[in-house]
Amino acid sequence: MKKTIIAVTAMAALFLGSCASSKQETVSYASNPPVYSNTGSGEKSVLFKTFPGCGVQIWQNEWGAHEMTFDIDYTAGCITVGNVGWWGGSFGCYDNGIPNGATLNLSDIAKVTFEAKASSYGTFYMNFDNNQKNEIDVTPNFKEYSIDLNHMKSKTDYLFMIGGVRDLNDKGTQVYIKNITFYDYDGNETVPKYN
């Protein structure tokens, strides 16, 4: 499957903020992390439990009309599959789908939990920091999932990749994810930190 990475459409970019500086200077993302707002109306996202949020890069089909592979309602944690026949993208240090120069330190993260469901039974994948492709079998009702993570990177520009596997690829299919929560090696809740 061939893919091209492009900027997020305006609909999917409701939550994206910019951390670009107009001056030529080094920006410390650890002390000045990018600010991502969920919507213009101040609604709280259900996607992450305590992590303030991140950008998203939606992949598009390189053939034909270069269609986006999905749309996202970040506040509702809902991905709606496009008309391409597959879908995928990456959540991380992006502004309007373009890497913004920030990096995340994920080395203290040992486990992630979340809830997920879809409009039909099926499977999608979540790949955390290139750790492994975790296939997530979902039903039409929310279920809780837990993924143990090993040797996460101390410097990476993405938090996780997500996409369709064998099914859940029909146009209009909806995948819901909420309450993504991160835990350290002692079992305490934590959040990814910017370098």
Side-chain angles (χ1 to χ4, degrees):
M1 218 178 301
K2 202 168 182 185
K3 63 183 180 257
T4 299
I5 299 169
I6 69 160
V8 179
T9 62
M11 180 177 168
L14 290 173
F15 68 100
L16 295 175
S18 175
C19 67
S21 174
S22 59
K23 298 179 185 177
Q24 294 285 64
E25 60 185 52
T26 302
V27 176
S28 167
Y29 290 100
S31 58
N32 298 300
V35 176
Y36 297 99
S37 60
N38 299 315
T39 70
S41 61
E43 296 174 67
K44 184 175 183 326
S45 170
V46 299
L47 188 61
F48 295 100
K49 184 176 176 189
T50 53
F51 184 56
C54 59
V56 65
Q57 186 177 71
I58 298 174
W59 300 335
Q60 79 169 36
N61 187 10
E62 190 169 275
W63 300 284
H66 299 281
E67 300 135 303
M68 302 300 285
T69 60
F70 69 88
D71 287 325
I72 185 167
D73 179 339
Y74 196 86
T75 303
C78 178
I79 291 170
T80 303
V81 177
N83 195 29
V84 176
W86 65 274
W87 60 279
S90 178
F91 285 74
C93 302
Y94 307 107
D95 288 329
N96 297 317
I98 307 296
N100 63 19
T103 58
L104 291 163
N105 182 347
L106 306 178
S107 61
D108 292 334
I109 296 178
K111 182 173 86 169
V112 62
T113 63
F114 57 93
E115 294 174 64
K117 72 174 186 174
S119 54
S120 62
Y121 290 89
T123 305
F124 68 91
Y125 74 85
M126 289 182 83
N127 178 352
F128 284 86
D129 180 37
N130 220 10
N131 222 259
Q132 61 190 25
K133 185 187 271 188
N134 299 284
E135 292 192 1
I136 311 299
D137 296 322
V138 290
T139 71
N141 299 309
F142 275 111
K143 288 175 39 180
E144 187 167 332
Y145 300 85
S146 177
I147 300 173
D148 292 325
L149 303 171
N150 297 306
H151 310 292
M152 298 287 279
K153 293 178 186 168
S154 61
K155 191 172 185 178
T156 182
D157 63 356
Y158 78 91
L159 185 56
F160 65 89
M161 294 182 187
I162 188 168
V165 181
R166 296 170 295 281
D167 44 25
L168 298 180
N169 291 323
D170 293 335
K171 180 180 180 179
T173 298
Q174 293 183 311
V175 176
Y176 293 85
I177 303 168
K178 67 179 182 178
N179 293 327
I180 298 174
T181 308
F182 303 93
Y183 296 90
D184 63 20
Y185 287 94
D186 294 324
N188 299 314
E189 195 171 314
T190 187
V191 294
K193 301 196 176 37
Y194 287 96
N195 288 313

